[in-house]
Amino acid sequence: MFTKEDLLNINSRKELLELAKKKKIKLNKAINRAKYEDELRLLQMELAHLQNHIEKQQMRVAILFEGRDAAGKGGSIKRFVEHLNPHTSGVVALTKPTVVEKGQWYFQRYIEVLPNRGEIKFFDRSWYNRAVVEPVMGFCTPAQYKTFMAQVPNFEHMLYEDGIHIIKFWFDITKDEQKLRFDGRKNNPLKEWKFSPVDQKSQELWEENTKYKEKMFTNTHTAFCPWIIVETNDKFTARVESLRHVLSQFEYEGKGKSGANLHTDPNVVYRYFRKSKNLEL
């Protein structure tokens, strides 16, 4: 362990590394975390510029975060909105539908929370609940699922034609990594609330989820509204790479002035295509 005197006598990074080696202290984790936090800060500065652009140009932007349970959707959204102006941004995380909502057109309650002009909205799960979670868990009928799958491309095309920018993320994770994260939640009193009955079924129903996920990609990946896959076994990398992807989709005043690296890693973030490598296999 470093002493106060040790740190006062260090004048360079090289001396710090040599002292750490001498004392058998591993710094890689701390150094990588510091690099991540610096990188994240720069990207968040860029996102603030983008938000100003969205507000000035009266654009409407909706970013959908879908994926396996524990894939890091909530953590990434938190980093997206952390320093944004809450008056022109927001997180949408709808609870299960009410009795009244169950009698409405399925998309109706999502239409009511779409971004207004000058706004950017982040959806912590979206209408795509009906593509995977609901049929797997038995929360919708086969007929409701079939209707949804037939309607969703047209629904999204109408949003696209009306000028709403939609980015659809699928956060990918391996079965083993998901189990590790579930175990971490169950054993942490501060994260127990994240572990739901649906989560408990995720490992058991892994293959069934995969089947419906692939059907969703095949039927809803379009030129005007493509699926963007984010590999999330490394959640820190997933956060910065998903931020980079969003920034790469727009031109805005001051872009790149923060010094942030705005080039996405194609091994981490990429468009879905039917013969792509699959992290889950």
Side-chain angles (χ1 to χ4, degrees):
M1 185 174 182
F2 293 126
T3 65
K4 182 178 179 181
E5 289 73 23
D6 287 335
L7 297 175
L8 288 173
N9 290 325
I10 290 173
N11 297 310
S12 68
R13 184 171 178 269
K14 183 179 179 181
E15 289 180 4
L16 175 63
L17 293 173
E18 287 175 351
L19 182 61
K21 185 177 181 180
K22 181 180 178 181
K23 291 200 168 195
K24 297 182 179 179
I25 297 172
K26 295 181 179 179
L27 289 180
N28 285 347
K29 186 174 181 180
I31 291 172
N32 288 338
R33 183 58 186 260
K35 286 180 179 177
Y36 155 73
E37 290 178 353
D38 284 344
E39 195 173 17
L40 178 63
R41 180 178 60 84
L42 294 176
L43 291 169
Q44 288 174 329
M45 289 169 61
E46 289 287 329
L47 190 61
H49 289 311
L50 175 57
Q51 184 183 28
N52 289 335
H53 174 76
I54 290 169
E55 185 177 0
K56 286 180 182 178
Q57 299 299 319
Q58 290 292 282
M59 298 167 67
R60 290 171 290 167
V61 179
I63 304 178
L64 280 51
F65 291 78
E66 295 289 344
R68 302 275 190 177
D69 295 312
K73 299 179 294 296
S76 289
I77 291 171
K78 180 180 177 181
R79 274 70 187 183
F80 268 88
V81 303
E82 197 168 13
H83 300 293
L84 293 184
N85 181 348
H87 296 296
T88 53
S89 65
V91 178
V92 178
L94 299 185
T95 57
K96 64 181 183 180
T98 64
V99 173
V100 172
E101 288 171 335
K102 286 180 180 178
Q104 297 173 343
W105 181 41
Y106 177 75
F107 294 100
Q108 186 168 334
R109 69 187 192 130
Y110 292 103
I111 290 171
E112 292 171 357
V113 292
L114 286 170
N116 295 314
R117 296 200 177 278
E119 289 184 343
I120 180 171
K121 292 282 189 74
F122 302 88
F123 286 72
D124 189 349
R125 294 198 181 278
S126 66
W127 45 88
Y128 280 102
N129 276 329
R130 182 145 291 181
V132 182
V133 175
E134 289 190 17
V136 170
M137 298 300 297
F139 295 158
C140 70
T141 66
Q144 288 173 325
Y145 168 75
K146 185 177 180 180
T147 298
F148 169 82
M149 293 299 286
Q151 291 181 345
V152 67
N154 293 325
F155 171 69
E156 290 178 351
H157 193 254
M158 285 190 289
L159 299 182
Y160 167 76
E161 285 190 319
D162 202 53
I164 298 180
H165 297 261
I166 301 175
I167 296 174
K168 299 191 303 195
F169 281 130
W170 177 270
F171 275 33
D172 227 8
I173 189 173
T174 60
K175 189 175 183 180
D176 288 344
E177 179 63 22
Q178 185 189 62
K179 185 178 185 304
L180 285 174
R181 294 186 188 180
F182 282 163
D183 290 344
R185 290 178 178 183
K186 287 186 287 187
N187 298 322
N188 186 339
L190 298 177
K191 293 185 177 181
E192 282 182 343
W193 64 271
K194 289 186 174 183
F195 194 68
S196 69
V198 174
D199 293 334
Q200 287 181 309
K201 286 279 191 178
S202 293
Q203 289 269 298
E204 180 184 335
L205 297 172
W206 183 270
E207 295 303 328
E208 191 72 359
N209 273 284
T210 299
K211 181 179 79 173
Y212 277 95
K213 178 201 72 171
E214 292 301 326
K215 285 183 181 179
M216 177 188 74
F217 287 155
T218 299
N219 288 281
T220 66
H221 177 75
T222 58
F224 55 86
C225 205
W227 278 104
I228 306 301
I229 313 300
V230 183
E231 295 190 0
T232 67
N233 271 12
D234 183 331
K235 61 185 177 183
F236 299 115
T237 299
R239 290 169 186 171
V240 296
E241 291 299 330
S242 56
L243 262 165
R244 281 196 185 100
H245 177 77
V246 170
L247 295 167
S248 73
Q249 300 304 296
F250 302 91
E251 292 301 323
Y252 52 89
E253 187 178 349
K255 186 172 184 177
K257 286 187 177 180
S258 69
N261 173 14
L262 300 180
H263 300 289
T264 56
D265 184 343
N267 294 309
V268 179
V269 178
Y270 48 89
R271 283 192 176 207
Y272 166 78
F273 54 101
R274 287 171 180 77
K275 293 189 182 298
S276 67
K277 68 170 184 170
N278 190 335
L279 180 65
E280 299 173 352
L281 295 180

